[in-house]
Amino acid sequence: MTINVEELKDHIRDIPDFPKKGILFRDITTLLANADAFKSAIDQLKHRYLAKGIQKIVGVESRGFILSAPLAYLLGAGLVPVRKKGKLPYRTSSVTYALEYGQDTLQMHVDAIQPGEKVLVVDDLLATGGTAKATCELIEELKGRVVGLAFLIELTDLKGRLTLPKYDVFSLIPL
């Protein structure tokens, strides 16, 4: 059963002033808890990328892991986690990027992507694009080919896709 985008939107809960005042948090746990909605979202992503020859899916910490694992399984691709600094046990490649207030560092194992591999980046939300751009930099540092970025939700008012002009960016649910 395929659930259309408008119906999927109904499964996203808005939580005002979380994690701090003035932020409208988009809670995907309500979509994840509904088996039909979750399956439909993953199936729609699968159909978009089925013929792309994806070899690795990079899931971005932490909600990106929830979406990337079933998608990697369905596409027959390997799964690579991108994590915050200090969370991976082996040697890592790192990239530090600017946040609204301060900076953050993402890491990936140095042997996670082989040169020339076709890689899809998966995360739950595209906001300003900083995390996605940093993730692409990690992949390209390891000589992987970013063939797309897939998001469950895109906050279109924040124009995050403008920070990713050289990539094929797809969001299932634009808000």
Side-chain angles (χ1 to χ4, degrees):
M1 167 181 178
T2 299
I3 297 176
N4 70 40
V5 171
E6 289 306 313
E7 291 173 299
L8 285 176
K9 283 181 185 178
D10 293 339
H11 292 283
I12 305 295
R13 178 172 33 207
D14 291 344
I15 301 182
D17 298 322
F18 183 83
K20 61 183 181 180
K21 190 162 183 61
I23 301 290
L24 179 61
F25 185 80
R26 306 303 177 132
D27 181 15
I28 67 167
T29 62
T30 44
L31 183 144
L32 299 173
N34 182 294
D36 291 334
F38 184 42
K39 182 179 184 329
S40 183
I42 295 298
D43 284 347
Q44 289 179 59
L45 291 172
K46 174 190 79 173
H47 289 298
R48 178 171 177 83
Y49 295 103
L50 200 53
K52 303 280 186 185
I54 305 297
Q55 295 167 288
K56 295 279 175 70
I57 292 188
V58 169
V60 182
E61 186 167 335
S62 67
R63 290 177 300 272
F65 298 162
I66 297 167
L67 302 168
S68 60
L71 191 57
Y73 171 77
L74 292 170
L75 294 177
L79 177 62
V80 175
V82 165
R83 304 225 41 206
K84 305 272 186 189
K85 186 176 182 177
K87 300 289 186 181
L88 292 170
Y90 186 61
R91 287 191 337 254
T92 59
S93 179
S94 301
V95 63
T96 299
Y97 63 104
L99 298 171
E100 187 177 350
Y101 300 104
Q103 60 185 26
D104 207 352
T105 300
L106 293 176
Q107 295 182 317
M108 178 188 305
H109 282 146
V110 295
D111 60 354
I113 305 287
Q114 300 307 307
E117 281 188 313
K118 293 180 177 181
V119 180
L120 176 65
V121 176
V122 177
D123 204 355
D124 68 317
L125 181 81
L126 174 59
T128 62
T131 302
K133 186 175 180 185
T135 300
C136 291
E137 288 174 17
L138 279 173
I139 294 163
E140 291 169 346
E141 183 178 309
L142 297 176
K143 308 289 187 237
R145 287 183 35 218
V146 177
V147 297
L149 292 94
F151 301 92
L152 180 64
I153 299 169
E154 178 179 0
L155 303 179
T156 56
D157 288 352
L158 297 180
K159 302 185 184 333
R161 69 175 51 233
L162 296 179
T163 66
L164 306 162
K166 70 179 191 174
Y167 303 107
D168 177 25
V169 177
F170 174 75
S171 60
L172 190 58
I173 306 169
L175 295 174

